[in-house]
Every structure is written in structure tokens, then in C-alpha cells.
Amino acid sequence: MGFARACSVALVGVEGVVVEVQADLEPGVAAFTLVGLPDKSLVESRDRVRAAVVNSGAEWPQKKLTVGLSPASVPKSGSGFDLAVACAVLGAAERIDPVMIADVVMIGELGLDGRVRPVRGVLPAVLAAAEAGYEQVVVPEQTAGEAALVPGVSVLGVRSLRQLIAVLCDEPVPEEPVEGQGRPDAMLAGLVIPGTGLGTGLAPAAARGDGHLPDLADVAGQPRPRQALEVAAAGGHHLLFSGPPGAGKTMLAERLASVLPPLTRQESLEVTAVHSVAGILPPGEPLVSRAPYCAPHHSATMQSLVGGGNGMPRPGAVSLAHRGVLFLDEAPEFPGKALDALRQPLESGHVVVARAAGVVRLPARFLMVLAANPCPCGRHSLTGAGCECPPSVVRRYQARLSGPLLDRVDLRVEVEPVDLLGHGGRGESTAVVAARVRDARARAAERLAGTPWTTNSEVPGHELRTRLLVAPGALAAAERDLERGILTARGLDRVLRVAWTVADLRGADRPDASDVAVALELRTGIQRGVPMRTGQR
């Protein structure tokens, strides 16, 4: 009788659970039993592993073989357990020393010829292994760079099971030919889910693949929407652009991600983990360093926005936009239930998806930008444009964005049409605005040092009213709006957050009455007669 064990990782959402893969050989009729709550693709590993072992030059044990995946109560899916199963079987058959693989985490799919194919979710899997105390991992060669992002872990990238056996047995490592030279590597196909679109969750330029970065200098005029865009980027505030078609709402939103500061190391790991699990991480780019940009079509379902799917829930658009921008163009055309499902992640920064297969907590701290037309034809706000929409239709169309959802949007700005022929100059470039945003975020981070918050949009209202006090008398106008019902209690807290961001942009120590007036104007749309002092022109 032979016994051996290796380790792998089961992913539940974007979090990993270390799984012990145990192999037991007993005398009897040759059979291969796999237990431990595997899914269909994992059950099929029996045939993949057997063929891979034989084609790698090793002998398959002709005994009763039982492979157990522990803990048995955790659902296990995917083909990433193949490598660990093969090594556990070879350890039980004494082809390799069981001691050599007992504390090694192995992740990878096996082809029938013994080649190791890459799988999705390597980064969160290695993160889970490191947190559990494991120091050695074996991954496919194509994903070794992704696994190496985790500090304190020794990573071995292998091209085939034959190479791994040679390393574990201290034998000469055979050279494996690189197939498919001169054409796309077919092995990388396992990293991308078909149909998701490689550009999903990436900046607009990366999604197009043309290398051209959208620049704010391309936007003509629009001083107030540009100010709102800068305030949104500096404080992480949600934003609504409303106006007729062609006024520049989408053009402005596409440039928001490039204004945001580069991701910190921890934020990059979070974003990369989500993209790796979702199957949209670009091959050859193991670390996402820029804020992601996700713009789903208005026909998107609630599951595609917040996460879901058959079996274990998968990340949705709100998670793909984590630490970046979620742009909902034609927002009133989205299903009402899908929009209302955004309320919880907008407040908490994560989404909890419950399905029969389990409950998954997915990160979802994103900056939301909504774009909406004033009516179905889009000409309601234009003088003499010939809008024929009845008032009841206009009201019904605008009511598709519910009050509770809009109450969570800090900035609401009208985007008016621009006379391109009569506009004399270009606006500030992305680089200039991004520099001010970085300085404002640095001031906020210094003020919030020692707290769990980094941006003004995350600070609770209680802290704003008790610890982070504005200048005396600065809230007089906000209190009047609260009494008149123009503001809700939540709206007052959000006005305070925006006022702090406006003060940070102009380098002030704390907001004054003019900063609060700007915040009120950006939220309510009521002109306050206050000039812009945040540096925009």
C-alpha cells in the first residue's frame, strides 16, 4: 500500500482555500476514484492525468487508486488540480519521493501529452498559499510571472510533467520544444474566457488596442463637467452626466480612468486577482498597474453587473471595475433591478453574492459614472430642438434612475452642447489635471493617516461632523437646503465629502463656505454664483 499527498488551491470567488490532494494505492482491481466534491471538469482529470503520466514516460500503477481532495466540504472546480493529482499518484507509486511534494502547492492543467497548461486565478491561489504558510509553489511556465508577484514564495515554472518529475527526482531536466513559433501561443487560450472580450475591465486605449490614450485636451469647452470630473477623481465621488446626445458625456467618462492615480502595490494585487479569476488578464502582463475601466452595454443583466452565473458565482462588472471606473452609458436604459442592485456595493465597497453553490464576497470599490439623456429622443433640454416626447414619457424616462440610487451619486452635472467651430482653444491636458488629482489625494491621505480610509468618499458622516470640521458658518447654505428637503441626511454627508475634496484641490486646510457652495452646486445643479477655484480653466 502506498500513500502520498500534495497541495493545490480551490478558488471561491477571488479567495483561495488550500486543498490537500491525497493519493492512496491498495491491492485490487485497477480503478481510479476521485472524491472530495469535484465538479465535472475536475472529474475528467482522471483521464487527463492518466494519459499525461503515461506519455511522460512514467508507469501508471495497476492498483486500486483513490484520490481525495480535502477538505471535502469545499466545492472544487476547474482543471488546476491536475498537476497536484499527478504528483500525488506518482508519490504513492514511489516514482517520486512523497516527502518532496508534501508541502508544495501545485497549480496547473495537464494535457494528454504531459504538457502543463496555464489556468486562470493563479495570483489569488498563490496569495492563499502564502497566507497559509506555504513557501514553494509550482505553476505553468506562462503564469510564473503572475505567481512571482507574491512575496516570500519560491516559484517554479514548468513546461511539462516530465520536467517536474526530473526536478523532484534530481534528474537532468529535459528540454521541451516551444511549439507554435510565429503564431499565437495556443497554450495561453486557457487564461481567457471565450466571449468575455479581452478589453473588458481595461482602460479604453488598451481595450481598443491602438495604443492611443484619450486626453482631456480633446474635450472642447465644458468647464463645469471637467471640474466635476476632476473632483470625482480626486475624492472618489460618483458622478452623473446628463444632457443631449453628442454633448460629450461618453468622451468625458472615457478620460476619467487616465486621470486617476496609478494603483498602489496592494491595489494592483487586488485588481490583478479579480482579472485573473475572471479570465481577462492580458497574457504577458501579470500585474495591472492602471485603474481599470469597465463599460457594460445597457442590456447587461443583474448577474453580469454584480456577479453570478451557474454554480459558484463569478465576478461581475462592479468587481472588474474594482479600484477603477464603472461607466454606465445610457443609464436609464439599464434594467431597474440591475441598477438598484448597485446600491449595496456603492456603500460598502464589496458585493456579497449568494447562490445554491455557496456565498461569495467579491471586491467592488469602484467610481461609478452614469450618463443619461433627458428624454427618449434626447432633445428635451434643447431650446427649439423639436422634442415631441409627452411630459408623462419624460417623467417616466427620468424616473428609471431611482431616488435611492441617485442619492448615492455625489456629483450631478448638466452637459450642454458645445459650439465646436466657435470654441477658440483646447482645455487642460490629462497630465495637468492628473497632477492636481495626485496632490489632492496626497493631502487627503495625510489627513486620514491612521484611519481605514484613504479618500474623502470613504469617510463616514459621523467622522465628518465630529472630527473633520469645516470652517465656522460654512454649512449655512447646506443646512437651508436640508430644511427645504433639497438634501437628505445622506446627501448632506456627501456634500461634506465633496467640499473636502474641493478644498484639497485648491490646497486649503479645511473647507470654507465657498467650497461647500461648490459642492452643493455640483450635487443639486442649483447655481450658487461661486467661481471655480480648483484650478480648472
Side-chain angles (χ1 to χ4, degrees):
M1 182 179 69
F3 176 84
R5 63 183 179 90
C7 295
S8 192
V9 178
L11 291 177
V12 182
V14 294
E15 298 178 355
V17 178
V18 176
V19 173
E20 190 174 273
V21 181
Q22 303 170 340
D24 179 71
L25 283 174
E26 296 180 359
V29 178
F32 189 170
T33 304
L34 183 65
V35 297
L37 212 58
D39 72 342
K40 179 65 175 177
S41 61
L42 185 50
V43 169
E44 293 175 349
S45 70
R46 295 177 299 185
D47 299 318
R48 291 195 301 270
V49 169
R50 182 188 291 111
V53 168
V54 173
N55 290 326
S56 297
E59 183 179 353
W60 183 260
Q62 299 300 317
K63 296 182 180 180
K64 181 182 178 181
L65 171 62
T66 303
V67 174
L69 307 175
S70 178
S73 59
V74 176
K76 304 164 189 72
S77 61
S79 56
F81 294 87
D82 289 2
L83 202 58
V85 170
C87 288
V89 172
L90 292 174
E94 298 183 350
R95 172 63 179 86
I96 58 180
D97 187 356
V99 177
M100 295 292 294
I101 61 175
D103 295 319
V104 179
V105 175
M106 302 181 183
I107 304 165
E109 175 187 333
L110 286 175
L112 300 184
D113 57 355
R115 288 184 300 169
V116 181
R117 301 183 65 92
V119 295
R120 297 182 293 272
V122 167
L123 177 59
V126 176
L127 283 170
E131 292 175 358
Y134 290 87
E135 298 179 352
Q136 292 182 312
V137 297
V138 178
V139 298
E141 186 180 58
Q142 293 89 341
T143 58
E146 185 179 342
L149 297 173
V150 182
V153 175
S154 175
V155 178
L156 173 62
V158 294
R159 193 174 296 172
S160 67
L161 178 61
R162 193 163 32 246
Q163 286 185 338
L164 180 57
I165 294 174
V167 172
L168 294 174
C169 296
D170 198 19
E171 299 172 355
V173 179
E175 287 291 336
E176 295 290 347
V178 179
E179 299 184 7
Q181 291 184 351
R183 62 179 185 270
D185 188 356
M187 298 286 281
L188 297 177
L191 296 178
V192 181
I193 299 178
T196 57
L198 187 60
T200 307
L202 302 177
R208 291 195 302 264
D210 56 11
H212 173 69
L213 293 176
D215 198 308
L216 270 175
D218 301 332
V219 180
Q222 305 294 8
R224 188 61 72 183
R226 288 173 62 96
Q227 179 192 30
L229 194 78
E230 182 174 337
V231 172
H237 306 287
H238 306 303
L239 175 62
L240 167 64
F241 285 137
S242 58
K249 303 185 296 294
T250 302
M251 191 176 186
L252 285 162
E254 286 183 344
R255 283 148 179 79
L256 179 55
S258 58
V259 176
L260 294 175
L263 301 177
T264 64
R265 176 73 177 186
Q266 180 60 35
E267 292 171 345
S268 293
L269 292 176
E270 294 174 6
V271 173
T272 303
V274 175
H275 286 206
S276 178
V277 170
I280 62 173
L281 191 65
E285 297 182 19
L287 186 66
V288 178
S289 58
R290 297 294 304 174
Y293 173 89
C294 188
H297 191 260
H298 60 255
S299 62
T301 63
M302 181 173 65
Q303 289 77 15
S304 66
L305 281 181
V306 300
N310 297 328
M312 191 60 65
R314 302 188 64 84
V318 296
S319 296
L320 300 182
H322 180 59
R323 302 295 181 183
V325 177
L326 175 67
F327 177 45
L328 303 183
D329 200 4
E330 306 293 346
E333 300 294 343
F334 280 78
K337 289 185 177 180
L339 290 176
D340 287 337
L342 300 177
R343 292 193 227 163
Q344 185 244 345
L346 284 174
E347 290 287 339
S348 62
H350 64 267
V351 60
V352 178
V353 183
R355 296 290 184 271
V359 179
V360 173
R361 185 180 185 271
L362 300 169
R365 186 166 296 283
F366 55 90
L367 199 165
M368 182 180 69
V369 181
L370 305 174
N373 293 326
C375 67
C377 76
R379 300 190 297 270
H380 177 68
S381 60
L382 299 178
T383 304
C387 175
E388 298 179 356
C389 299
S392 60
V393 173
V394 175
R395 288 194 300 269
R396 189 160 52 247
Y397 184 81
Q398 294 177 351
R400 292 181 181 178
L401 299 179
S402 66
L405 176 64
L406 289 179
D407 202 31
R408 290 166 167 82
V409 178
D410 302 348
L411 312 172
R412 307 171 192 174
V413 181
E414 291 286 338
V415 183
E416 302 291 342
V418 175
D419 182 7
L420 295 178
L421 297 179
H423 182 72
R426 305 176 68 189
E428 290 179 321
S429 66
T430 294
V432 174
V433 177
R436 283 201 300 267
V437 169
R438 285 195 300 269
D439 292 341
R441 287 214 174 196
R443 293 188 188 96
E446 183 180 357
R447 180 174 61 253
L448 299 174
T451 70
W453 318 296
T454 56
T455 59
N456 293 321
S457 62
E458 302 172 10
V459 182
H462 175 74
E463 291 289 323
L464 291 169
R465 294 188 298 271
T466 57
R467 191 170 70 87
L468 301 175
L469 300 178
V470 300
L475 291 178
E479 292 171 354
R480 287 194 299 270
D481 285 358
L482 185 63
E483 293 173 357
R484 296 170 183 169
I486 300 176
L487 282 181
T488 63
R490 180 191 284 121
L492 178 61
D493 289 343
R494 294 185 175 276
V495 166
L496 285 172
R497 294 169 183 168
V498 174
W500 273 104
T501 301
V502 175
D504 287 336
L505 281 169
R506 67 182 183 87
D509 294 333
R510 59 176 177 173
D512 58 16
S514 62
D515 296 324
V516 175
V518 170
L520 286 170
E521 183 174 330
L522 290 174
R523 180 173 180 84
T524 64
I526 302 174
Q527 297 294 325
R528 309 281 169 162
V530 179
M532 292 178 290
R533 297 193 299 168
T534 57
Q536 295 89 342
R537 292 190 295 272

